[in-house]
Structure formats: C-alpha cells, structure tokens
Amino acid sequence: MSETAEHTLIDEMGIRRALTRIAHEILEKNKGVENCTMIGIRTRGIYLAKRVAERILEIEGIPIPVGEIDITSYRDDRVKVKSVENVQEGGKLQIQDRKIILFDDVLYTGRTVRAAMDALIDLGRPQMIQLAVLVDRGHRELPIRPDYVGKNVPTSKSESIVVKLTEIDDKDEVMIRWLRGKQE
C-alpha cells in the first residue's frame, strides 16, 4: 500500500509576507496602481487578489478594483461564457485599456492562465495582462511566465501543491503532497 505524505511549505505568516511583497512589487512595476484592475481566477485566485488589494490600500491609501473570473467555459467542452464580475460592487468590470493583474494560487502547466487570458480578451482588450501567483511549481506546457511569485517550488510531476486559504478552508497554508511507501 502507498500512503500520502505531506509537508507544509508556507505557513500563515509566510503567505502574509509573500502577498505583502507582491503588493510592493506591483506598486513598483506599475509606478502605483493607476489604471490597474486585479482579477482573481475562481476559486482561490480571487481571495489572493482581494488580499493584495487590501495591502495596496494600506500602503498607498488607494482602492483598486477587484474582479473574479470563472474560466470554466474556456476549458474542455463547455460553451457558456461567463463575465468578469466586480466583487466589490457587483456587476461587470471594465477591462478595456486597463492594466489587468491576474491572480492564481498555483502555476503549473499554464493552461488555466491561458484559459483566463482567453476569457479576458473576449471581454475587451486590456492594455496589458500581468500574472501573480502564490506558488510557481514549474512543468510549463505553454510559454507563460508569472510577473509576481510568492514562492518558487520545484516539484516532480508525482507531487501536488495544495493551497488552503481561510476564506474557504479555515486555514492559511501551502502544502506539498506526494505518495510514499510501496505499491502493492
């Protein structure tokens, strides 16, 4: 029998520090947040986007629009197209000619990010799209590179990264999980 083993890579304080660093890097790279909108990929990306927007508000005193995108229809055989929703005020967010900072929890093959970019471009033409991820684990299948990374974690394909956030999982942590023991 084989059993699953796991190890904590990032604890609550580490996630907080990583998101604060990403907030500072966004401010530096964009020379502030004028014309910026943060969009989180459902499910955990939206919570990361909200947290970074809160940090930027604390640092600069400037609110930044935050939206959520559901990319379900851009995967596999589904055809219904969802919009980008403004999570602060409800309704649709404008993305035309805006700097979009796209958030996801884990970057792996790049296919989720590609689906999100396709969804965004169907809604308008952003000035640019930047990518922020909490964990970059490698193994890209598409030429996609994050602009902001909380932590680089080289993994094997047999390992998985599990992100837990208090908004969904009642706990903040990033775990690495792998099979251990003999197969019978």
Side-chain angles (χ1 to χ4, degrees), residues 125-154:
R125 187 181 188 284
Q127 178 185 340
M128 73 169 49
I129 299 173
Q130 299 171 9
L131 178 60
V133 297
L134 184 58
V135 177
D136 181 355
R137 63 170 289 195
H139 303 286
R140 221 74 80 239
E141 294 174 4
L142 298 169
I144 290 174
R145 179 185 57 82
D147 298 279
Y148 314 103
V149 179
K151 186 170 182 81
N152 286 295
V153 180

Side-chain angles (χ1 to χ4, degrees), residues 58-73:
E58 291 168 8
I59 296 163
E60 294 283 303
I62 299 170
I64 181 168
V66 179
E68 176 177 18
I69 191 162
D70 181 353
I71 61 161
T72 306
S73 62

Side-chain angles (χ1 to χ4, degrees), residues 4-11 151 153 159-164 173-180:
T4 302
E6 56 187 30
H7 172 72
T8 301
L9 294 171
I10 311 172
D11 61 11
K151 186 170 182 81
V153 180
E159 295 170 318
S160 62
I161 299 292
V162 178
V163 174
K164 295 181 180 178
E173 70 180 349
V174 177
M175 310 280 291
I176 186 165
R177 205 174 268 166
W178 66 94
L179 284 178
R180 141 176 113 178

Side-chain angles (χ1 to χ4, degrees), residues 19 38-53 66-69 87 101-106 112 116 131-134 163 165 167-169:
L19 296 179
M38 297 189 175
I39 296 179
I41 298 172
R42 192 174 289 165
T43 296
R44 286 171 180 78
I46 183 55
Y47 300 111
L48 298 173
K50 284 181 182 179
R51 290 184 190 189
V52 171
V66 179
E68 176 177 18
I69 191 162
V87 297
I101 302 153
L102 186 63
F103 283 81
D104 202 5
D105 55 350
V106 178
T112 299
L131 178 60
V133 297
L134 184 58
V163 174
L165 298 176
E167 294 90 341
I168 303 167
D169 310 298

